[in-house]
Structures are given as structure tokens and as C-alpha cells.
Amino acid sequence: MAQFDIDSLKNEFVHSTYALLMELVIRTNQSLLLKPFTFVTSFVAFLFCLVLTYFVAGKMAEMESVRLEAAYNVTFNQAVDAVVVKINAYEEMLRATQGLFYVSPDLSREDFANFYQSLKLEENYPGIQGLGYVVALSPEQKQMHINAVRQSGMLSYDIHPQGVRDKYTSNLYIEPVTKKNMRALGFDMYADITRRDAMDRAVKTGKASITEKVFLKQDGSDSTINGLLMYLPVYIDASESDVAIGKRTIHSGWVYAVFRIDDVLQDVLMTHKNVGLLNIYDDEAEKSESLLFSQPGVASEESFSLQKSYEVGGRTWSFVGQPDREFADSILRNNTVITWIIGIVISLLFALVIAAIAKSRANAIRIASQMTKSYRQNARRLALATEAAEIAIWEWDVETNIIMFDSMASKVFGLPNSTEQMDYAEFEKLIHEADLLPFRVAVEQSIQQHKSFDVRSRIHHGAEIRMIHTSAELYFNDAGQLLSLVGVSYDITEDWQHQKRILETEQRWKHALEGSGAGVWDWDVANNVVVFSDKLLAMLGYAPGEIIGQMEHWLKLIHPQDIERVTADINRMFSGEKPEYRNEHRILSKDGSWKWMLGSATVAERDADGNPIRVIGTKTDISWRKQAE
């Protein structure tokens, strides 16, 4: 309906302008165009308006480009963050596998297979090709290891490739059991330089480490696909059985995961389809092999791109994005042609007006008459514009306490079509009872401060409740007494309902997190206010609202030996050194005991200077795991 009104407005504008041009040409006498002075004056006026139109059109195009870049920046950052979070999820899966070996150092092949089945990796980790364990061997241990595995029933087991090396490894366990994976059984990954670099980095840092891009063979085919391997060291050497895991120095092997790059990233980007053209590069790889992933598309005419780098598994990945044509079309409103058409028409009108004025005083009088007519037409166009935009214009005469409406008031406020004015007290009855007091306060403050006001309030729109945005200007006499308020009101119910849906969605994901066993905390960094979920407080034995909502009070509950590490990790997240905060620490329960908690968080929002505004995180009770360790 709105599109129909706007098209009608354009058509009426073109027809009325054409009629006005013809009438001006006739009334100003075509012979005057032959007079040099009149011609030059009109031509200069016409050029001036065209130059002004050029600058206006350029400014509008510049504003559209800025708006497009801002919109794409949000979309790009969301997609990149989703990719990093997805890759980090694989690290969590490996840490669970690592913990399995610490709990059961003599883990059998059947135990490992049962553990793999319980993870349901194909469902929860798209693109996964294998989960395995690589044992580290010295040259002296190699043959004993081979004999032991063969005695367990794998008679054809051997370490390959053959050759004499200072250090050996063997792919001892791998799931699922496929032809391709079985061919990798006994493979010495340390013999491959690409895998060796990642394995050494994992041992050195104690963290999950990713290889550069490798080529994986598929079952039943000679074709290859792009893949990555992620390693995590395991320290279960018998000589260090009495040493705490965090202080052990002799690693006995690695747990690892193999996954297909394209499958992982495409699964993430299914929820970020409007990210446009996206390329992901491994900055530390050879230039010819640095491209990890590329999402194709048709680039938009707006030539700009965004780049962001993250440390992922010990390597630096760069994300380069550019909006595609579909995204640009959804954001941009191409008004350049309309601007030029209106500018040319106004230029012609202005030139003809100047020509008419230059001819004689009589023409000036006639032109004044035409300008009056043009003003009425403009008023009509304004009325059509307000109708197309569904904007109601009203004026409150303070002396008579009467509020007067234009024709759109009936639609915006739900009034009868014949309503042109009403008593202000009756107007207040339209406002929802819960919003009446804030509305009165806004009006009173505006009067006291001699400033305009903007307020949102619900109204009774017939049988419905709708949200209205109202802006008003105040007019005072020379003595400072208020004469009237002139304002505009328009319906923002859809935006209001959209915001409500966003809040409901946020509540749902908070409930989802808590349903998984995690407690949620939400930190307003700017105002230093933190909200803890009831579940999080209940984990520690506190009642809802018992801990005051400031971060300082929460930090006082952290164990003195852990507080320095916690604050350091928070600061690294704030500075952007790390994409997220993850920390295991002890927290004082209400009964005086210490509980081990896994805390994780991410900066949900930053200001224009990159300073964090809002942080959202979870805490999970891991005391059971610490006791097992």
C-alpha cells in the first residue's frame, strides 16, 4: 500500500510540474528567450541549480556507501566470530578426549571406540573425518611397541613409512573404522613435516595446534579434499605418574582430530548467508597454499573489503570479506536518478522564474501567482508524502487546551475519520496507562528546559495496543510563556515488536545455556553492572540477588591463587589479544568450600573506539573433573 502511495506521489509531481512549466512558458512570452540578458541570466540560474544537484546527489551516494559499509561490517564480524567459535569447539572435544587418557592411562581400543560413539561427532561436529591417538616412541621402544600390538590381534600392524629416524610416532587408535582410516593405522605422522610442526607446537604450548592445509583422500576415490589436523599433547608417562598433570614434561603422545575445511565452514556460514564474498587465508602457510576457504559470489559495485585476523590453533588466519550484489541491493536505496530528475526539473523551474522576473514587473506579479499555486501543490505533495509515510501532524494550543490534527491522525491514532480536534485531556486517554506518566514527565521537562522532546508510548488504537513515536517542537512568546506544541507522530509497532522478539530470543539462549548445565552472567562494562543467573548463584549455594551486581564483589569470591590469572585473561580479551576469555579457577561457595569452575566469555559489543561495552559469559562446575584428575 505504501509503494502505491509513493508511486502516486511521483506521478502527480511529474504531471503538476509539466503543467506549471507549460504555463510559465506561455505567460512569460516565448520571445523573451531571444533577449540576450534574459537568456544569460536564466542559463546561469539553470547551471547553478545543476551544480547544486550534483553536490546533493554526490552527498547522498556517499551516505549510502557509508551505510552499506557499516551494515556489512556488522555482518562480517558476526560471521568471522562464528567461524572462530566453531573451530574452538573442536579443541574442547579434543580436551575431553585428552581427559579420557588421564582417567584411564591403559585405555583399550574398544574403550576408545565406545568413547567415540558417545560423542556422536558426525552430528555435532560437521566435517569430522577422524578422531585418533598417536603414540610417541623412541627407536628403542619401536619394535617392542609393534610386537605388543601384534600380540593383541593386529598381526599386520607396522609403523610406516619405513626408515631410520631419531623419533617415531604411530597412529595407534583412529575412529571411525573406514577403509581410509584403516590405511592410516600405524602411520608415523611425525615423519611428515606439516604434521610435525603442529605436533611440536602443541607440545611446546600445551594447547591445541592446527596444521596448515593438507590434502585428504576420500574413501572409494582418488580425489582429494582440503583438510586440517588438530593436535593436543597427552602426558601419561609412567615415570611421572605421581606428578600433577600441569607440571609433567614427558609427553607420551597426542590426541588429534581430522576435519574437512569446506564442510566445517559451510556449516557455520549456513546461518550467515549474507556475508557475501569471503576468503580465509592461513598467513603462515606458503603463498600458493595460503587460501583455506573461498565463498564465491557476484561482487557489488561498491569496491571495498574488510579484513580481520585471529589466532586459531596456534596459526594466524586472516578473513577477507566483500559484500556481494545481493547484500548491497538489500541495503542501498538508489535515489540518484530520482535526485537528478527532481534537480533538473527544479533547475528549469528556477530558470524560467528568473526569466519571468527579468522581463517585467507584470511578469513578476504573474510569477508570484504561479508560486502561490506551486506552494499549494507543494502542500498537497507534502500531504501525500505524510500519507505515504503514515505520519500524523498535530498542534496543541496551550491557551485553549485544544489539540488539532491533520487527516492522518485517524489512521495513526485510530480516531474517527471526521476528527479534526479534541480536548488535550481526551488525547491523554489514548495513551496506555503504563506510559502516561513517562509521557507527562517528558512534556514537563521539555517545557522547563525549552527543548524539543522525543518519546515512545503505547496507545489504545481501537481494540489494539500499538507503539507510537512522537516528536514535538515548543513555541514561546517573548516573555517565555508557552504558546503551542507542534509535533509529528508515527507508528513504530513493527520495530517495537521486533525488539521484543530480540529480547525473547536472548532469554531463550540464556535458558538454553542454563539447560546445558552452565550458569550465565551478563556484564554491562560501561556501568560496571553484572547480572548473574539464578542457576549460577545456586551452583555456589547463594540465593537469587544475594551477590551485589558489581564485578568487584564477584572477584572477591575467587581464590587468591587464581585471581591474578583470571584478571589477566579478562584483560587479554578486552585488548583483543584473545578472541574470548576461558579460565579454570576456584570460587568460594556459601558453605565455605571452594568449587572449581570453568569460566568462558566473549565481548558481545564494543564502542567506536574498540572499548568493550558488554560481555556475556558462562560458568560450569568442573569440580568432578578436577577430582578425577
Side-chain angles (χ1 to χ4, degrees):
M1 183 65 185
Q3 182 64 40
F4 175 78
D5 292 339
I6 293 173
D7 291 340
S8 301
L9 176 62
K10 292 178 181 177
N11 292 334
E12 182 173 340
F13 176 74
V14 171
H15 290 308
S16 61
T17 302
Y18 176 78
L20 180 57
L21 282 171
M22 293 300 99
E23 191 168 352
L24 280 173
V25 169
I26 294 172
R27 291 200 177 194
T28 53
N29 191 346
Q30 294 180 357
S31 63
L32 65 86
L33 299 176
L34 301 176
K35 297 179 181 179
F37 176 80
T38 302
F39 177 81
V40 171
T41 304
S42 302
F43 185 74
V44 170
F46 178 76
L47 288 180
F48 172 80
C49 289
L50 287 182
V51 171
L52 185 61
T53 301
Y54 171 80
F55 283 108
V56 171
K59 191 64 178 177
M60 292 180 64
E62 181 181 341
M63 292 173 63
E64 287 291 281
S65 298
V66 171
R67 197 166 66 87
L68 172 63
E69 187 166 353
Y72 184 70
N73 185 64
V74 173
T75 300
F76 174 77
N77 285 328
Q78 290 176 343
V80 170
D81 292 343
V83 171
V84 175
V85 168
K86 190 67 174 180
I87 296 299
N88 289 340
Y90 284 80
E91 178 179 350
E92 294 301 318
M93 179 266 295
L94 278 185
R95 290 203 176 275
T97 309
Q98 180 193 53
L100 180 67
F101 281 89
Y102 290 148
V103 174
S104 302
D106 56 347
L107 190 71
S108 68
R109 190 176 305 276
E110 290 75 19
D111 293 337
F112 188 84
N114 292 335
F115 174 75
Y116 171 82
Q117 293 295 329
S118 68
L119 292 178
K120 298 181 179 179
L121 296 186
E122 290 83 359
E123 299 177 15
N124 301 321
Y125 298 87
I128 193 79
Q129 282 209 302
L131 177 67
Y133 171 67
V134 178
V135 62
L137 300 167
S138 66
E140 295 77 13
Q141 296 171 321
K142 175 184 175 184
Q143 192 57 48
M144 289 188 295
H145 168 77
I146 294 174
N147 293 338
V149 175
R150 289 177 177 176
Q151 289 175 5
S152 69
M154 301 185 68
L155 301 179
S156 61
Y157 175 83
D158 201 356
I159 297 177
H160 59 90
Q162 298 294 329
V164 178
R165 294 183 285 278
D166 294 333
K167 184 176 182 180
Y168 294 88
T169 67
S170 177
N171 195 359
L172 185 57
Y173 299 157
I174 183 167
E175 292 290 336
V177 179
T178 62
K179 290 183 179 180
K180 172 179 62 60
N181 286 344
M182 290 302 295
R183 287 197 299 268
L185 196 65
F187 175 60
D188 184 354
M189 294 188 175
Y190 206 72
D192 177 76
I193 187 171
T194 299
R195 292 169 172 81
R196 182 169 66 247
D197 288 344
M199 296 164 79
D200 287 343
R201 193 182 324 114
V203 173
K204 182 178 179 180
T205 63
K207 300 177 180 179
S209 180
I210 291 180
T211 65
E212 64 182 66
K213 180 172 64 178
V214 297
F215 298 105
L216 307 174
K217 285 190 175 182
Q218 302 184 79
D219 276 340
S221 173
D222 292 331
S223 62
T224 59
I225 56 175
N226 295 333
L228 294 174
L229 286 88
M230 179 183 287
Y231 294 92
L232 195 64
V234 177
Y235 298 86
I236 54 173
D237 190 270
S239 63
E240 294 186 330
S241 59
D242 296 332
V243 181
I245 294 174
K247 296 182 179 180
R248 295 181 184 179
T249 59
I250 303 175
H251 74 281
S252 58
W254 297 261
V255 290
Y256 74 94
V258 187
F259 50 89
R260 298 182 294 270
I261 303 175
D262 288 356
D263 290 355
V264 173
L265 298 181
Q266 287 173 359
D267 178 71
V268 176
L269 297 177
M270 281 293 292
T271 57
H272 297 82
K273 294 181 179 179
N274 56 350
V275 73
L277 286 71
L278 178 65
N279 290 333
I280 303 177
Y281 299 92
D282 184 348
D283 292 350
E284 300 175 20
E286 294 291 335
K287 186 174 182 181
S288 60
E289 300 295 334
S290 63
L291 181 62
L292 294 173
F293 176 80
S294 180
Q295 179 160 289
V298 180
S300 68
E301 296 178 0
E302 297 289 332
S303 58
F304 74 87
S305 62
L306 300 179
Q307 181 173 347
K308 193 172 185 179
S309 296
Y310 267 118
E311 181 181 335
V312 180
R315 303 184 71 85
T316 302
W317 285 10
S318 291
F319 300 78
V320 180
Q322 181 181 355
D324 58 12
R325 186 176 299 171
E326 182 179 355
F327 181 87
D329 291 343
S330 68
I331 300 298
L332 296 178
R333 296 188 295 266
N334 189 4
N335 295 323
T336 304
V337 175
I338 297 176
T339 302
W340 272 105
I341 292 174
I342 295 176
I344 292 173
V345 171
I346 293 176
S347 300
L348 290 172
L349 285 171
F350 188 66
L352 290 173
V353 169
I354 293 298
I357 293 175
K359 185 171 192 238
S360 65
R361 179 175 177 275
N363 281 343
I365 295 174
R366 286 194 293 271
I367 292 298
S369 175
Q370 292 301 322
M371 291 177 66
T372 301
K373 182 178 179 181
S374 178
Y375 170 79
R376 292 172 180 168
Q377 292 174 338
N378 288 334
R380 174 57 181 161
R381 286 194 289 271
L382 176 61
L384 286 174
T386 57
E387 290 176 5
E390 298 184 355
I391 297 175
I393 303 175
W394 51 268
E395 180 177 1
W396 176 22
D397 188 337
V398 177
E399 183 177 356
T400 62
N401 207 31
I402 295 296
I403 186 167
M404 293 165 285
F405 302 101
D406 70 347
S407 59
M408 279 303 297
S410 59
K411 187 167 187 178
V412 174
F413 293 106
L415 301 173
N417 293 332
S418 59
T419 304
E420 295 182 356
Q421 64 181 39
M422 67 167 52
D423 187 85
Y424 183 74
E426 293 296 319
F427 172 75
E428 282 194 341
K429 292 180 180 179
L430 297 175
I431 302 174
H432 193 277
E433 296 77 13
D435 295 341
L436 182 56
L437 181 58
F439 183 89
R440 288 176 174 173
V441 171
V443 174
E444 186 63 27
Q445 290 179 347
S446 177
I447 294 173
Q448 292 177 358
Q449 299 173 8
H450 285 213
K451 292 182 179 179
S452 59
F453 74 90
D454 284 84
V455 66
R456 298 195 322 164
S457 54
R458 289 165 289 178
I459 65 166
H460 296 284
H461 192 284
E464 297 181 78
I465 298 296
R466 303 191 70 82
M467 181 66 75
I468 299 297
H469 184 279
T470 298
S471 302
E473 290 286 340
L474 286 71
Y475 295 91
F476 301 85
N477 59 18
D478 295 336
Q481 296 175 328
L482 180 64
L483 297 177
S484 64
L485 284 82
V486 177
V488 295
S489 299
Y490 51 93
D491 194 325
I492 59 168
T493 304
E494 291 184 2
D495 292 340
W496 170 55
Q497 292 174 343
H498 178 66
Q499 292 298 324
K500 286 178 63 178
R501 286 193 293 270
I502 291 177
L503 291 175
E504 292 170 356
T505 300
E506 185 171 335
Q507 289 297 322
R508 281 195 293 271
W509 68 252
K510 285 185 178 179
H511 291 160
L513 286 175
E514 292 189 351
S516 67
V520 181
W521 54 279
D522 193 338
W523 183 12
D524 180 356
V525 181
N527 298 312
N528 194 26
V529 175
V530 61
V531 177
F532 308 105
S533 70
D534 293 346
K535 185 176 184 67
L536 176 54
L537 296 176
M539 287 181 184
L540 301 171
Y542 295 101
E546 188 170 351
I547 300 179
I548 300 174
Q550 291 184 344
M551 184 54 72
E552 289 79 6
H553 296 88
W554 181 260
L555 293 177
K556 290 180 181 178
L557 301 177
I558 296 176
H559 197 283
Q561 295 179 4
D562 300 339
I563 184 64
E564 183 177 351
R565 180 164 44 82
V566 170
T567 54
D569 285 348
I570 292 175
N571 291 332
R572 290 189 186 98
M573 176 183 65
F574 278 5
S575 66
E577 179 181 349
K578 287 189 174 181
E580 64 177 5
Y581 158 82
R582 292 188 64 82
N583 191 281
E584 296 181 357
H585 50 269
R586 288 160 287 182
I587 296 181
L588 183 64
S589 300
K590 189 174 182 178
D591 61 6
S593 64
W594 295 98
K595 281 193 175 182
W596 276 99
M597 306 290 282
L598 171 61
S600 63
T602 185
V603 177
E605 187 177 357
R606 294 181 182 269
D607 61 19
D609 298 326
N611 299 315
I613 297 177
R614 185 185 182 194
V615 174
I616 298 176
T618 62
K619 286 190 182 294
T620 306
D621 189 344
I622 59 170
S623 300
W624 63 272
R625 178 164 64 82
K626 288 296 183 179
Q627 292 171 0
E629 292 173 356

